[in-house]
Amino acid sequence: MAELLNTLYATTPGTSLHLDGDAVRIWHPDDDQRRRLLPLVRIDHIVAFGGVTITDDLLQRCATDRRSVTWLTGAGRFRARVDGPAGGNPHLRLAQHDHLRDDTHRLTLAKAFIAGKLQNSRQVLLRAARDATGERQTALRDTAGHLAESLTTLRGAGTIPEAMGVEGHAARRYIATWPYLLSSNATISAPPGRTSRPATDPLNAALSFGYALLRVAVHGALDHVGLDPHIGYLHGIRPGKPALALDLMEEFRALLVDRLVFTAFNQRQLTAADFHTQPGGACQLTDTGRKTYLALWSDARSRPWPHTLLAQDTLAATLPLLQARILARHLRGDIPDYQPWTPA
C-alpha cells in the first residue's frame, strides 16, 4: 500500500479496503502492521491491483464523493474503473462531439497530439545524448534529427491515416534506439520491439506499468474538467475504449514514463531481479519491484517541469489536468489552437 499525491495504491494481494467512518481502513490478514486508517479527505483516487478487495460500502461512498476507483492487474493492465454520477458542462461535451464530426478540426487535434509525442520523444533522446559518447551519442542524435524531420512531415499530412503513418514510422525509429537509451550499467538488455499484451521482457513490462498509471491520471483529469474520456480524435472510438484519454496520454508518455524507466534501469533502481516471467511468457514486476516503481513514480510526479504555454514551472502530477483544461478551452472556442505540453 502506498499513498502518493492524493492517490491510494493498494498493491499487495490479500489486502482489503473497508469504510470506517470518514476513513479507509486497510487490512491484511498476515500482517498487523498493515492495519491502518487513512482519512478519505486525503484521497482523490484509489488504484487497486490484482488480489486487492474493496468493500461495497467503501465503493458506494467513493461513488457518492465522485472519488474514482480503478482496478489494474498485477502487471498494471487496466481492468475497470468506477466513478460517481457524471458531471461537467453539457455545452462542452456538445463542442467535443462537434469537433469530432468536423474532419478539419479532428485532423488538427490528432496532429497536435502526435506532434507533442514526437517533440517529447525527441527531448528524451537529446537529454540522453548529453551524457553519452561515441556511437551511442551519434545514434541518439541521429534519431532525434529524424523525429525533427517527422514533425515537418506531419504538418503536411492531409488525413488522419497519413498523420498516423508519420507517427508509426517515427515510433519505429525511436524504439530502435532503446539499446542506446540503456547504459552499460543496466542489468537488462533492450528487446527488439514493443510488446504489451502481454509484455515479455522487463523493459516492456516497466513501460506498460507506467502507461497504466499515466492512463489513470489522464482519465481522471478529463473527468474533472467535464470532458468525455471516450470521445477522442486520434484513436479510434470503440465501446469501452477511452479514446480521448489515449489521445492526451501521447504527449506525456516519453518524458513522464519512458524517461523514468530508462533512468531507473541505468541507475539500477530497477534491475532484472525486480521482474519475473510467468509460465505463459508474460513478464511482470515482482511485489518488491512494484513498490519500488511506485516510489519512483511518486518522486517523478513531484518534479517541477517547465510549461511553455504558461511560462512557468508546474508539477508533473498537475500536467494532465492543465492540458485537459487547455483542451476544454480550445473546444469551447476560447483559444484558437490546442498546444500540447512540451518543456522547451
Side-chain angles (χ1 to χ4, degrees), residues 99 102 104-110 112 309 325-340:
H99 277 69
D102 187 301
T104 299
H105 285 156
R106 182 181 177 187
L107 176 62
T108 299
L109 280 167
L309 181 61
R325 286 175 174 163
I326 291 170
L327 177 59
R329 292 190 64 196
H330 166 64
L331 294 174
R332 287 196 302 261
D334 299 336
I335 54 177
D337 301 301
Y338 173 72
Q339 295 188 33

Side-chain angles (χ1 to χ4, degrees), residues 2-221:
E3 181 199 354
L4 310 174
L5 292 175
N6 303 113
T7 299
L8 173 64
Y9 296 94
T11 61
T12 304
T15 299
S16 58
L17 307 181
H18 307 255
L19 181 66
D20 192 332
D22 291 322
V24 178
R25 178 163 50 86
I26 300 121
W27 182 79
H28 190 281
D30 297 332
D31 189 351
D32 289 339
Q33 297 302 314
R34 291 182 185 171
R35 298 179 183 180
R36 60 172 292 190
L37 290 176
L38 188 64
L40 280 167
V41 70
R42 285 167 46 179
I43 305 171
D44 293 331
H45 311 279
I46 295 176
V47 180
F49 288 83
V52 173
T53 59
I54 304 176
T55 60
D56 288 345
D57 54 351
L58 177 57
L59 281 174
Q60 291 179 29
R61 174 62 182 272
C62 288
T64 300
D65 295 346
R66 296 200 64 198
R67 180 181 296 103
S68 69
V69 179
T70 302
W71 286 267
L72 304 178
T73 67
R77 186 175 175 182
F78 177 83
R79 296 298 296 272
R81 178 183 174 93
V82 170
D83 292 294
N89 187 335
H91 296 290
L92 174 58
R93 296 210 172 189
L94 285 173
Q96 186 179 354
H97 284 261
D98 289 342
H99 277 69
L100 176 66
R101 296 188 181 98
D102 187 301
D103 291 341
T104 299
H105 285 156
R106 182 181 177 187
L107 176 62
T108 299
L109 280 167
K111 288 164 69 171
F113 295 130
I114 294 173
K117 177 179 181 178
L118 296 180
Q119 178 61 29
N120 289 338
S121 296
R122 184 170 177 268
Q123 289 293 317
V124 168
L125 298 172
L126 291 174
R127 289 166 185 261
R130 293 173 193 167
D131 299 324
T133 57
E135 179 188 358
R136 183 175 172 228
Q137 184 181 72
T138 300
L140 292 169
R141 287 179 174 172
D142 284 350
T143 303
H146 175 80
L147 294 189
E149 294 172 3
S150 296
L151 282 165
T152 301
T153 305
L154 178 65
R155 296 190 191 103
T159 65
I160 288 180
E162 286 181 27
M164 293 182 70
V166 174
E167 187 274 335
H169 183 64
R172 288 189 290 274
R173 288 291 298 266
Y174 175 74
I175 290 172
T177 64
W178 281 359
Y180 302 102
L181 286 170
L182 286 173
S183 72
S184 59
N185 192 50
T187 65
I188 66 164
S189 299
R194 176 81 176 115
T195 59
S196 60
R197 293 180 180 271
T200 55
D201 62 273
L203 180 57
N204 275 301
L207 290 172
S208 292
F209 191 80
Y211 295 151
L213 297 178
L214 178 61
R215 175 176 167 176
V216 171
V218 171
H219 195 133

Side-chain angles (χ1 to χ4, degrees), residues 290-313:
R290 193 158 51 234
K291 292 173 183 177
T292 299
Y293 196 114
L294 288 172
L296 295 172
W297 178 252
S298 177
D299 290 342
R301 279 165 57 83
S302 301
R303 172 185 170 169
W305 283 93
H307 196 293
T308 305
L309 181 61
L310 300 180
Q312 65 182 47
D313 288 353

Side-chain angles (χ1 to χ4, degrees), residues 158-284:
T159 65
I160 288 180
E162 286 181 27
M164 293 182 70
V166 174
E167 187 274 335
H169 183 64
R172 288 189 290 274
R173 288 291 298 266
Y174 175 74
I175 290 172
T177 64
W178 281 359
Y180 302 102
L181 286 170
L182 286 173
S183 72
S184 59
N185 192 50
T187 65
I188 66 164
S189 299
R194 176 81 176 115
T195 59
S196 60
R197 293 180 180 271
T200 55
D201 62 273
L203 180 57
N204 275 301
L207 290 172
S208 292
F209 191 80
Y211 295 151
L213 297 178
L214 178 61
R215 175 176 167 176
V216 171
V218 171
H219 195 133
L222 293 170
D223 276 335
H224 184 81
V225 302
L227 288 166
D228 186 342
H230 294 84
I231 303 299
Y233 305 98
L234 172 61
H235 292 84
I237 296 176
R238 295 202 308 267
K241 180 179 180 179
L244 188 60
L246 297 175
D247 288 354
L248 194 61
M249 279 177 61
E250 295 294 353
E251 63 200 71
F252 301 120
R253 288 177 184 266
L255 284 172
L256 299 191
V257 177
D258 296 9
R259 188 170 183 271
L260 179 153
V261 167
F262 283 105
T263 298
F265 280 120
N266 290 339
Q267 296 182 358
R268 295 197 178 184
Q269 296 164 312
L270 288 175
T271 69
D274 291 311
F275 299 82
H276 66 91
T277 301
Q278 297 181 329
C283 184
Q284 295 184 5

